[in-house]
Amino acid sequence: MNKHVAMKTPPIVSQEAWEGAHEELLMKEKATLRARDALAAERRRMPWMEVDKAYVFEGPNGKVSLVDLFEGRRQLIVYRAFFEPGVYGWPDHACRGCSLGADQVSHLAHLNARDTTLAYASRAPQADIARLKNRMGWEMPWYTITDSFDKDFGVDEWHGHNVFFRDGDRVFRTYFINNRGDEVMGTVWSYLDITPLGRQEVWEDSPEGYPQTQTYKWWNWHDNYEEGAAPDKRWVEVSDAGEAAFREKSAQ
């Protein structure tokens, strides 16, 4: 039989009192949201570090370079996942924390539509990675580290996301996040907010010349993105109407 420890719960109040408490908390939540947006704007202005070492990974089809991991896109997020001999769970599982993170990765088509690639990297051989992905239902690209990439980018002893930007064959490190900040990664928005280009929507405070499109308009079903396609006219009408109604309600 389960034994429950007595909880000291908050007071039970009327609907009016509850709504008042909610509104009070909402003001603090909105302030936190604005602060988070400001941090993302500052992040987009961080200096870049050029990567001048030729790193080599093993992929499903053989050896690849760091440039190859971009898959032709301008932005790359690399998560170092611990799956290798000596890690708890090997050879059946990757690290429990890394696996929980992999389980919450959203559909990659939305990131790809914003010129961004997400990739995982471990020291396990490709055959083991393929077996693990198939068992767990994971679809992100996952490469084998063959050199000092993990040590050079601060993920040889602990997990973390490194962010890179590509200009032709030149690659720059633009951001790094690990520890507590790393646990919230997984959504389209959490990933885009750590990239140098951000969400690429007009409301964002981004440096001059950064790509930006109208809010909502680029959103799509994950199986319906077409490179270079104009926003769907009907969706533009629906999103415009929804945004107008929301702003009208917020102004009341």
Side-chain angles (χ1 to χ4, degrees):
M1 179 180 295
N2 293 329
K3 295 182 179 180
H4 297 282
V5 178
M7 294 173 55
K8 186 178 180 181
T9 63
I12 309 302
V13 298
S14 66
Q15 178 178 341
E16 183 179 8
W18 186 91
E19 290 178 349
H22 178 255
E23 286 297 323
E24 185 176 342
L25 184 61
L26 188 58
M27 288 190 293
K28 297 178 181 178
E29 290 176 336
K30 287 183 176 180
T32 300
L33 184 64
R34 288 191 290 270
R36 191 175 68 190
D37 289 340
L39 274 174
E42 188 173 348
R43 192 179 295 125
R44 289 189 287 278
R45 291 168 171 83
M46 266 193 61
W48 295 1
M49 180 193 81
E50 186 160 9
V51 180
D52 53 12
K53 186 173 180 178
Y55 293 99
V56 177
F57 301 83
E58 190 75 29
N61 299 313
K63 295 187 182 302
V64 292
S65 68
L66 182 58
V67 170
D68 292 326
L69 268 58
F70 283 81
E71 298 181 350
R73 303 182 183 94
R74 285 194 291 179
Q75 301 191 127
L76 170 68
I77 303 169
V78 180
Y79 177 71
R80 198 284 199 235
F82 282 87
F83 179 50
E84 59 201 56
V87 170
Y88 177 68
W90 174 267
D92 296 324
H93 282 290
C95 155
R96 283 188 174 181
C98 296
S99 298
L100 191 154
D103 279 338
Q104 62 193 33
V105 172
S106 55
H107 202 287
L108 298 177
H110 306 294
L111 278 179
N112 297 164
R114 294 278 92 175
D115 211 6
T116 304
T117 298
L118 172 71
Y120 270 43
S122 299
R123 285 200 170 271
Q126 277 297 299
D128 292 299
I129 290 174
R131 170 177 51 80
L132 178 69
K133 288 177 61 178
N134 182 65
R135 172 178 177 174
M136 302 299 287
W138 296 329
E139 297 185 357
M140 71 285 286
W142 198 320
Y143 299 92
T144 301
I145 300 169
T146 68
D147 46 33
S148 61
F149 176 85
D150 48 359
K151 183 175 179 59
D152 293 349
F153 291 100
V155 288
D156 55 323
E157 297 180 354
W158 198 241
H159 59 85
H161 287 82
N162 276 284
V163 185
F164 302 94
F165 187 87
R166 182 181 65 85
D167 181 8
D169 288 333
R170 297 179 70 189
V171 175
F172 305 89
R173 188 191 194 193
T174 65
Y175 190 65
F176 174 60
I177 187 168
N178 64 355
N179 293 326
R180 278 294 305 277
D182 209 34
E183 70 184 25
V184 300
M185 304 306 298
T187 68
V188 175
W189 312 120
S190 63
Y191 286 132
L192 290 179
D193 283 347
I194 65 171
T195 65
L197 299 182
R199 304 185 185 192
Q200 303 165 53
E201 295 183 341
V202 293
W203 62 270
E204 285 183 303
D205 175 10
S206 291
E208 184 178 353
Y210 276 43
Q212 291 186 318
T213 58
Q214 291 295 318
T215 308
Y216 306 121
K217 305 304 181 288
W218 67 273
W219 297 12
N220 211 332
W221 297 292
H222 72 246
D223 64 347
N224 206 238
Y225 284 108
E226 293 182 24
E227 187 175 355
D232 181 87
K233 181 180 179 181
R234 177 57 179 152
W235 172 240
V236 170
E237 295 172 352
V238 170
S239 60
D240 280 348
E243 185 175 6
F246 171 78
R247 297 194 182 284
E248 182 179 354
K249 182 178 181 180
S250 299
Q252 294 176 353

Coordinates of all heavy atoms in Angstrom, one line a residue, residues 74-127:
R74 N 22.6 26.6 -42.6 CA 23.6 27.5 -42.1 C 23.8 27.4 -40.6 O 24.8 27.8 -40.1 CB 23.1 29.0 -42.3 CG 23.2 29.4 -43.8 CD 23.1 30.9 -43.9 NE 21.7 31.3 -43.7 CZ 21.3 32.6 -43.7 NH1 22.2 33.6 -43.9 NH2 20.0 32.9 -43.5
Q75 N 22.8 26.7 -39.9 CA 23.0 26.6 -38.5 C 23.0 25.1 -38.0 O 22.3 24.3 -38.6 CB 21.8 27.3 -37.7 CG 21.8 28.8 -38.1 CD 20.8 29.5 -37.1 OE1 21.2 30.5 -36.5 NE2 19.6 29.1 -37.1
L76 N 23.8 24.8 -37.0 CA 24.0 23.5 -36.5 C 24.0 23.5 -35.0 O 24.7 24.2 -34.4 CB 25.2 22.9 -37.1 CG 25.7 21.5 -36.5 CD1 24.7 20.4 -36.9 CD2 27.1 21.1 -37.0
I77 N 23.2 22.6 -34.4 CA 23.2 22.4 -33.0 C 23.7 20.9 -32.8 O 23.1 20.0 -33.3 CB 21.8 22.6 -32.4 CG1 21.3 24.0 -32.7 CG2 21.9 22.3 -30.8 CD1 19.8 24.2 -32.3
V78 N 24.8 20.7 -32.0 CA 25.3 19.4 -31.8 C 25.1 19.1 -30.3 O 25.7 19.8 -29.5 CB 26.8 19.3 -32.2 CG1 27.3 17.8 -31.9 CG2 26.9 19.6 -33.7
Y79 N 24.4 18.0 -30.0 CA 24.3 17.5 -28.6 C 25.2 16.3 -28.4 O 25.1 15.4 -29.2 CB 22.8 17.1 -28.3 CG 22.7 16.6 -26.9 CD1 22.8 17.4 -25.8 CD2 22.4 15.2 -26.7 CE1 22.7 16.9 -24.5 CE2 22.3 14.7 -25.4 CZ 22.4 15.6 -24.3 OH 22.3 15.1 -23.1
R80 N 26.0 16.4 -27.4 CA 26.9 15.3 -27.1 C 26.1 14.3 -26.1 O 25.8 14.7 -25.0 CB 28.1 15.8 -26.4 CG 29.3 14.9 -26.3 CD 29.2 13.7 -25.3 NE 30.5 13.2 -25.0 CZ 30.8 11.9 -25.2 NH1 29.9 11.0 -25.5 NH2 32.0 11.5 -24.9
A81 N 25.8 13.2 -26.7 CA 25.0 12.2 -25.9 C 26.0 11.1 -25.4 O 26.8 10.7 -26.2 CB 23.9 11.6 -26.7
F82 N 25.8 10.7 -24.2 CA 26.7 9.6 -23.6 C 26.2 8.2 -23.9 O 25.3 7.8 -23.3 CB 27.0 9.9 -22.2 CG 28.0 10.9 -21.9 CD1 27.6 12.3 -21.9 CD2 29.3 10.7 -21.8 CE1 28.5 13.3 -21.7 CE2 30.3 11.7 -21.7 CZ 29.9 13.0 -21.6
F83 N 26.7 7.6 -24.9 CA 26.4 6.3 -25.3 C 27.7 5.6 -25.8 O 28.2 5.9 -26.9 CB 25.3 6.3 -26.4 CG 25.0 4.9 -26.9 CD1 24.6 3.9 -26.0 CD2 24.9 4.6 -28.3 CE1 24.3 2.6 -26.5 CE2 24.6 3.3 -28.8 CZ 24.2 2.3 -27.8
E84 N 28.3 4.8 -25.0 CA 29.6 4.2 -25.2 C 29.9 3.3 -24.1 O 29.3 3.3 -23.0 CB 30.6 5.3 -25.3 CG 30.8 6.1 -24.1 CD 31.4 7.5 -24.3 OE1 30.9 8.3 -25.2 OE2 32.4 7.8 -23.6
P85 N 30.9 2.4 -24.3 CA 31.4 1.6 -23.2 C 31.7 2.4 -21.9 O 32.4 3.4 -22.0 CB 32.6 0.9 -23.7 CG 32.4 0.9 -25.2 CD 31.7 2.2 -25.5
G86 N 31.3 1.9 -20.8 CA 31.5 2.6 -19.5 C 30.4 3.4 -19.1 O 30.3 3.8 -17.9
V87 N 29.4 3.8 -20.0 CA 28.3 4.6 -19.6 C 27.2 3.6 -19.0 O 26.9 2.6 -19.6 CB 27.7 5.3 -20.8 CG1 26.4 6.0 -20.5 CG2 28.7 6.4 -21.2
Y88 N 26.5 4.0 -18.0 CA 25.5 3.2 -17.4 C 24.4 3.0 -18.4 O 23.9 3.9 -19.1 CB 24.8 4.0 -16.2 CG 23.7 3.2 -15.6 CD1 23.9 2.0 -14.9 CD2 22.4 3.7 -15.7 CE1 22.8 1.3 -14.3 CE2 21.3 3.0 -15.1 CZ 21.6 1.8 -14.5 OH 20.5 1.1 -13.9
G89 N 24.1 1.7 -18.6 CA 23.1 1.3 -19.6 C 23.7 0.6 -20.8 O 23.0 -0.1 -21.6
W90 N 25.0 0.8 -21.1 CA 25.6 0.2 -22.2 C 25.6 -1.3 -22.1 O 25.8 -1.8 -21.1 CB 27.1 0.7 -22.3 CG 27.9 0.1 -23.4 CD1 28.7 -1.0 -23.3 CD2 28.0 0.5 -24.8 NE1 29.2 -1.4 -24.4 CE2 28.8 -0.5 -25.4 CE3 27.4 1.5 -25.5 CZ2 29.1 -0.4 -26.7 CZ3 27.7 1.6 -26.8 CH2 28.6 0.7 -27.5
P91 N 25.3 -2.0 -23.2 CA 25.2 -1.5 -24.6 C 23.7 -1.4 -25.0 O 23.4 -1.0 -26.1 CB 25.8 -2.6 -25.4 CG 25.5 -3.9 -24.7 CD 25.6 -3.5 -23.2
D92 N 22.8 -1.6 -24.1 CA 21.4 -1.6 -24.4 C 20.8 -0.2 -24.5 O 19.9 0.1 -25.3 CB 20.6 -2.4 -23.4 CG 20.9 -3.9 -23.5 OD1 21.2 -4.4 -24.6 OD2 20.9 -4.5 -22.4
H93 N 21.4 0.7 -23.7 CA 20.8 2.0 -23.6 C 21.9 3.1 -23.5 O 23.0 2.8 -23.1 CB 20.0 2.2 -22.3 CG 18.6 1.6 -22.4 ND1 17.6 2.1 -23.1 CD2 18.1 0.5 -21.8 CE1 16.5 1.3 -23.0 NE2 16.8 0.3 -22.2
A94 N 21.6 4.3 -23.9 CA 22.4 5.4 -23.6 C 22.1 5.9 -22.2 O 21.2 5.4 -21.5 CB 22.1 6.6 -24.6
C95 N 22.9 6.9 -21.8 CA 22.7 7.5 -20.5 C 21.2 7.8 -20.3 O 20.6 8.3 -21.2 CB 23.6 8.8 -20.4 SG 23.0 10.0 -19.3
R96 N 20.7 7.7 -19.1 CA 19.3 7.9 -18.8 C 18.9 9.4 -19.1 O 17.9 9.7 -19.6 CB 18.9 7.5 -17.4 CG 18.8 6.0 -17.2 CD 18.3 5.7 -15.8 NE 18.0 4.2 -15.7 CZ 17.5 3.7 -14.6 NH1 17.2 4.4 -13.5 NH2 17.3 2.4 -14.6
G97 N 19.8 10.3 -18.6 CA 19.5 11.7 -18.8 C 19.5 12.1 -20.3 O 18.6 12.8 -20.8
C98 N 20.5 11.6 -21.0 CA 20.6 11.9 -22.5 C 19.4 11.3 -23.2 O 18.9 11.8 -24.2 CB 21.9 11.3 -23.0 SG 23.4 12.1 -22.4
S99 N 19.0 10.1 -22.7 CA 17.9 9.4 -23.4 C 16.6 10.2 -23.1 O 15.7 10.3 -24.0 CB 17.8 8.0 -22.8 OG 18.9 7.3 -23.2
L100 N 16.4 10.7 -21.9 CA 15.2 11.5 -21.6 C 15.2 12.7 -22.5 O 14.2 13.1 -23.1 CB 15.2 11.9 -20.1 CG 13.9 12.6 -19.6 CD1 13.8 12.3 -18.1 CD2 13.8 14.0 -19.9
G101 N 16.4 13.3 -22.7 CA 16.5 14.5 -23.6 C 16.1 14.1 -25.0 O 15.4 14.9 -25.7
A102 N 16.6 13.0 -25.5 CA 16.3 12.5 -26.8 C 14.8 12.3 -27.0 O 14.2 12.5 -28.1 CB 17.1 11.2 -27.2
D103 N 14.1 11.8 -26.0 CA 12.7 11.5 -26.0 C 11.9 12.8 -26.2 O 10.7 12.7 -26.7 CB 12.2 10.8 -24.8 CG 12.5 9.3 -24.8 OD1 12.7 8.8 -25.9 OD2 12.6 8.7 -23.7
Q104 N 12.4 13.9 -25.8 CA 11.6 15.2 -25.9 C 12.0 16.0 -27.1 O 11.5 17.2 -27.2 CB 11.7 16.0 -24.6 CG 13.1 16.5 -24.3 CD 13.2 17.0 -22.8 OE1 12.5 16.5 -21.9 NE2 14.0 18.0 -22.6
V105 N 12.8 15.5 -28.0 CA 13.2 16.3 -29.2 C 11.9 16.4 -30.1 O 11.4 15.4 -30.5 CB 14.3 15.6 -30.0 CG1 14.6 16.3 -31.3 CG2 15.6 15.7 -29.1
S106 N 11.6 17.6 -30.5 CA 10.4 17.8 -31.3 C 10.7 17.4 -32.8 O 11.9 17.2 -33.1 CB 9.9 19.2 -31.2 OG 10.9 20.1 -31.5
H107 N 9.7 17.5 -33.6 CA 9.9 17.1 -35.0 C 11.0 18.0 -35.7 O 10.8 19.2 -35.7 CB 8.6 17.1 -35.8 CG 8.7 16.2 -37.0 ND1 9.4 16.5 -38.2 CD2 8.1 15.0 -37.3 CE1 9.2 15.6 -39.1 NE2 8.5 14.6 -38.5
L108 N 11.9 17.4 -36.4 CA 13.1 18.1 -36.9 C 12.7 19.0 -38.1 O 13.4 19.9 -38.5 CB 14.2 17.2 -37.3 CG 14.8 16.4 -36.1 CD1 15.8 15.4 -36.6 CD2 15.3 17.3 -35.0
A109 N 11.6 18.7 -38.8 CA 11.2 19.5 -40.0 C 11.0 20.9 -39.7 O 11.3 21.8 -40.5 CB 9.9 18.9 -40.6
H110 N 10.6 21.3 -38.5 CA 10.3 22.7 -38.1 C 11.7 23.4 -37.9 O 11.8 24.6 -38.4 CB 9.5 22.8 -36.8 CG 8.2 22.0 -36.9 ND1 7.2 22.4 -37.8 CD2 7.8 20.9 -36.3 CE1 6.2 21.5 -37.7 NE2 6.5 20.6 -36.7
L111 N 12.6 22.8 -37.3 CA 14.0 23.4 -37.2 C 14.6 23.5 -38.6 O 15.2 24.6 -38.9 CB 14.9 22.5 -36.4 CG 14.8 22.6 -34.9 CD1 15.8 21.6 -34.2 CD2 15.1 24.0 -34.4
N112 N 14.5 22.5 -39.4 CA 15.1 22.5 -40.7 C 14.5 23.7 -41.6 O 15.2 24.3 -42.4 CB 14.8 21.2 -41.5 CG 15.5 20.0 -40.8 OD1 15.2 18.8 -41.1 ND2 16.4 20.2 -39.9
A113 N 13.2 24.0 -41.4 CA 12.6 25.1 -42.1 C 13.1 26.4 -41.7 O 13.0 27.4 -42.4 CB 11.1 25.1 -41.8
R114 N 13.8 26.5 -40.6 CA 14.5 27.7 -40.1 C 16.0 27.6 -40.4 O 16.8 28.2 -39.7 CB 14.2 28.0 -38.7 CG 12.8 28.3 -38.3 CD 12.4 29.8 -38.6 NE 11.9 30.0 -39.9 CZ 11.4 31.2 -40.3 NH1 11.4 32.3 -39.5 NH2 11.0 31.4 -41.6
D115 N 16.4 26.8 -41.4 CA 17.8 26.7 -41.8 C 18.7 26.2 -40.7 O 19.8 26.6 -40.5 CB 18.3 28.1 -42.2 CG 19.4 28.0 -43.3 OD1 19.6 26.9 -43.8 OD2 19.9 29.1 -43.6
T116 N 18.2 25.2 -39.9 CA 18.9 24.7 -38.7 C 18.8 23.2 -38.7 O 17.8 22.6 -38.9 CB 18.2 25.3 -37.4 OG1 18.2 26.7 -37.5 CG2 19.0 24.8 -36.2
T117 N 20.0 22.6 -38.4 CA 20.1 21.2 -38.2 C 20.4 20.8 -36.8 O 21.3 21.5 -36.2 CB 21.2 20.6 -39.2 OG1 20.8 20.9 -40.5 CG2 21.4 19.1 -39.0
L118 N 19.8 19.8 -36.3 CA 20.1 19.2 -35.0 C 20.8 17.9 -35.2 O 20.3 17.1 -35.9 CB 18.9 19.1 -34.1 CG 19.1 18.3 -32.8 CD1 19.9 19.2 -31.8 CD2 17.8 17.9 -32.2
A119 N 21.9 17.7 -34.5 CA 22.6 16.4 -34.6 C 23.1 15.9 -33.2 O 23.4 16.8 -32.4 CB 23.8 16.5 -35.6
Y120 N 23.1 14.6 -33.0 CA 23.6 14.0 -31.8 C 25.0 13.4 -32.1 O 25.2 13.0 -33.3 CB 22.7 12.9 -31.3 CG 21.6 13.4 -30.3 CD1 20.9 14.6 -30.6 CD2 21.3 12.7 -29.2 CE1 20.0 15.0 -29.7 CE2 20.4 13.1 -28.3 CZ 19.7 14.3 -28.5 OH 18.7 14.7 -27.7
A121 N 25.9 13.4 -31.1 CA 27.2 12.8 -31.3 C 27.6 12.0 -30.1 O 27.4 12.5 -28.9 CB 28.2 13.9 -31.6
S122 N 28.1 10.8 -30.3 CA 28.6 10.0 -29.2 C 29.9 9.2 -29.7 O 30.3 9.4 -30.8 CB 27.5 8.9 -28.8 OG 26.3 9.5 -28.4
R123 N 30.4 8.5 -28.7 CA 31.6 7.7 -29.1 C 31.3 6.2 -29.5 O 32.2 5.5 -29.8 CB 32.7 7.8 -28.0 CG 33.4 9.1 -27.9 CD 34.7 9.0 -27.2 NE 35.5 10.3 -27.4 CZ 36.3 10.5 -28.4 NH1 36.5 9.6 -29.3 NH2 36.9 11.6 -28.5
A124 N 30.0 5.9 -29.4 CA 29.6 4.5 -29.8 C 29.8 4.3 -31.3 O 29.6 5.3 -32.0 CB 28.2 4.3 -29.3
P125 N 30.1 3.1 -31.7 CA 30.1 2.8 -33.2 C 28.8 3.0 -33.8 O 27.7 2.9 -33.2 CB 30.6 1.4 -33.2 CG 31.2 1.1 -31.9 CD 30.5 2.0 -30.9
Q126 N 28.8 3.3 -35.1 CA 27.5 3.5 -35.8 C 26.5 2.3 -35.8 O 25.3 2.6 -35.7 CB 27.8 3.8 -37.3 CG 28.2 5.3 -37.5 CD 27.1 6.2 -37.2 OE1 26.0 6.2 -37.8 NE2 27.3 7.1 -36.2
A127 N 27.0 1.1 -35.8 CA 26.1 0.0 -35.7 C 25.3 0.0 -34.4 O 24.1 -0.3 -34.4 CB 26.9 -1.3 -35.8

